[in-house]
Amino acid sequence: MSLQGPRRFQKQSAGHVWGRAALLYLPLLALSMVATRFQLVAPLALTSGIQPVTRAFLIAEQNLTHAYTTLTQDRDLSRRYYEVRRQNDVLRQSNELLQREVARLRQVTQITATQAPSVVGIGQVTAVDPSPLLSRLTINKGTAQGLRLRMPVTVPAGLVGQVVEVSSGNAVVLSLVDPESRVGVTLARNKGGRGLAFGTPPDRMKAQFSLGVDVKVGDELVTSSLGGVFPVGIKVGTVERVLPLGPNDVNRVVTVKPAVDVNVVEDVTVLGGL
């Protein structure tokens, strides 16, 4: 018995079903176009099926938009942060320069009131002699700013030394602890007794007094008129030790700790020569 007959019948039945469905769908589609003014509207089953996909794409778009906006805002904030930081650095540098200038003006005022009125100017220390046997400083002021040889150099704490070399824009200062340094000293507070102090590297001085001068440990030494280089009364240092007298000594020798540590000074004041 052949099976082609039933199969042909099944195919014809399926064709009749789809044909009837098409006849039913086309009038409904036409009616929908008329109801929506000829705008095609997808069937509810189709829209319901693609709704999750549409929602996923919408969420993805929102996330991408939010991420882009956040990235743009972060870039703007980062740019603003670095700009504010740069401005802050400029303001900090300006503030430091201003504070240093105020400190210099105070230094001049203090020195003028306590040491000498004839201030030529303030110089910044730009170099220190590296030799342990010498003690000399280079400052950024010279003849163009009125400096000359033998001018005293000081700070509020006390005497630093004197100018021994000078060019147009720089000067070399011989400090008190240099072996070539010589400065006339006397006991402070009107105790009298002139002496002569000289440098003993790396960081001390020695002073000689006549045997009649009652100099003791702790006595403060200031400049005297001996030598005619330095104004009288500027602090030089403090007696640290009185050396024992020998049988043939005609002078009393003391060790002096300078009032100023020349290794840490940054700005010095140059006084007019006597």
Side-chain angles (χ1 to χ4, degrees):
M1 182 177 178
S2 175
L3 298 176
Q4 294 181 355
R7 290 180 180 175
R8 186 180 299 115
F9 177 75
Q10 292 176 357
K11 290 181 179 180
Q12 290 177 355
S13 298
H16 287 304
V17 171
W18 284 107
R20 291 177 180 178
L23 292 176
L24 179 62
Y25 179 75
L26 289 176
L28 291 175
L29 180 62
L31 181 62
S32 174
M33 292 175 62
V34 172
T36 58
R37 297 181 181 181
F38 298 96
Q39 295 181 3
L40 292 176
V41 178
L44 180 61
L46 180 62
T47 57
S48 299
I50 66 173
Q51 214 170 31
V53 179
T54 305
R55 186 180 300 108
F57 276 106
L58 181 60
I59 294 174
E61 180 187 3
Q62 293 175 348
N63 290 338
L64 288 175
T65 303
H66 179 70
Y68 177 77
T69 303
T70 302
L71 179 61
T72 304
Q73 292 176 349
D74 288 345
R75 288 179 178 176
D76 292 339
L77 289 175
S78 178
R79 184 161 49 251
R80 289 176 59 189
Y81 168 76
Y82 284 111
E83 179 63 22
V84 171
R85 185 174 179 179
R86 185 189 66 80
Q87 294 176 358
N88 187 51
D89 291 339
V90 172
L91 291 175
R92 185 186 298 110
Q93 293 175 359
S94 300
N95 185 51
E96 290 175 355
L97 292 175
L98 181 60
Q99 288 181 350
R100 185 161 188 172
E101 189 61 30
V102 170
R104 288 176 176 178
L105 293 175
R106 288 176 178 173
Q107 178 170 319
V108 171
T109 301
Q110 185 175 352
I111 288 174
T112 301
T114 60
Q115 296 183 11
S118 57
V119 172
V120 176
I122 292 183
Q124 181 181 354
V125 176
T126 58
V128 178
D129 196 312
S131 173
L133 302 178
L134 302 176
S135 183
R136 305 183 183 194
L137 313 174
T138 301
I139 61 176
N140 63 346
K141 293 291 186 292
T143 55
Q145 290 76 35
L147 271 65
R148 300 191 305 274
L149 292 176
R150 294 172 62 84
M151 280 186 168
V153 178
T154 185
V155 293
L159 189 65
V160 173
Q162 62 176 308
V163 175
V164 292
E165 296 180 27
V166 61
S167 62
S168 176
N170 296 282
V172 175
V173 178
L174 182 75
S175 83
L176 296 182
V177 297
D178 190 277
E180 295 185 9
S181 173
R182 300 291 184 272
V183 55
V185 294
T186 185
L187 300 180
R189 299 180 183 176
N190 299 320
K191 291 183 179 180
R194 291 193 181 107
L196 181 67
F198 50 91
T200 55
D203 58 359
R204 290 295 185 269
M205 304 172 65
K206 286 186 178 179
Q208 295 179 345
F209 293 90
S210 63
L211 295 178
V213 178
D214 185 21
V215 57
K216 299 178 181 178
V217 173
D219 282 341
E220 183 178 295
L221 303 183
V222 297
T223 54
S224 71
S225 58
L226 183 63
V229 176
F230 303 101
V232 175
I234 300 178
K235 187 174 181 180
V236 174
T238 304
V239 175
E240 193 173 54
R241 181 187 176 197
V242 178
L243 301 183
L245 290 173
N248 299 320
D249 288 342
V250 295
N251 291 313
R252 192 181 305 276
V253 180
V254 298
T255 302
V256 180
K257 181 179 180 181
V260 179
D261 184 355
V262 296
N263 294 313
V264 298
V265 293
E266 296 182 353
D267 296 309
V268 296
T269 302
V270 182
L271 304 179
L274 298 180

